[in-house]
Amino acid sequence: VVESDRAPRSGWLLIVEGAGDEAAVARDAARLGADFGAGDATRGVIERVRSLQGENFAPAGLRFRLSVLPSRLDRVLRELAGAAAALPVSPGSGLAFARIAPQSIADGVGVERAWQAMRSAARAGSGHVVLEAAPEWAKVARDVHGDATDAWRLAGAVKARFDPAGILNPGRY
């Protein structure tokens, strides 16, 4: 994992985690260092990134998972630029985990604003958004699975065909 010494104190910070055999990772780290001034990240940075993707987010805010086309991540990030979200992104898979702090969602208006930003970003990335975690009051009368996509409609049709009584996994699709 490398982190640039020239990283801005606000805005985007790129953290790269290398994988592979030791020689390949060392070669990639050396190149990132030479080309961009990157250096080894602290253990705390790695733990922070992983916590933003996981369950440990206290006090409770909102955690969205966006699944978009990797080729459209630039559009997604532009859409989310003003969303006041911590945003770990996995460019190869097109996954982004948007964390909104509780002070940004103090009421229903803040939650709705966050939802609209995430839905707009997901559409820009030809993808889908799910609200993975939120305080109970923020989920009332809200479909946490986001907008129905063609894939969801197809999955629902398959489920209806093989489970016409709707007894398996009720409430899904």
Side-chain angles (χ1 to χ4, degrees), residues 35-152:
D35 291 352
F36 303 105
D40 290 343
T42 65
R43 180 86 178 138
V45 169
I46 297 165
E47 290 172 1
R48 175 73 176 135
V49 169
R50 293 212 171 105
S51 75
L52 288 170
Q53 293 172 315
E55 293 293 324
N56 303 327
F57 190 57
L62 304 177
R63 184 182 73 234
F64 294 93
R65 179 177 34 100
L66 292 95
S67 178
V68 300
L69 293 175
S71 62
R72 296 197 176 172
L73 270 174
D74 60 330
R75 296 176 191 172
V76 172
L77 296 177
R78 278 195 301 271
E79 286 284 329
L80 293 177
L87 199 63
V89 178
S90 298
S93 65
L95 286 176
F97 299 89
R99 297 292 200 133
I100 309 284
Q103 59 268 29
S104 298
I105 56 148
D107 56 22
V109 173
V111 173
E112 188 59 31
R113 190 177 318 116
W115 251 115
Q116 292 305 320
M118 297 305 143
R119 291 171 70 197
S120 178
R123 283 191 297 273
S126 297
H128 186 73
V129 62
V130 173
L131 177 60
E132 289 188 327
E136 278 302 315
W137 66 265
K139 295 188 284 185
V140 173
R142 185 175 312 280
D143 183 359
V144 298
H145 296 288
D147 299 329
T149 64
D150 291 340
W152 282 78

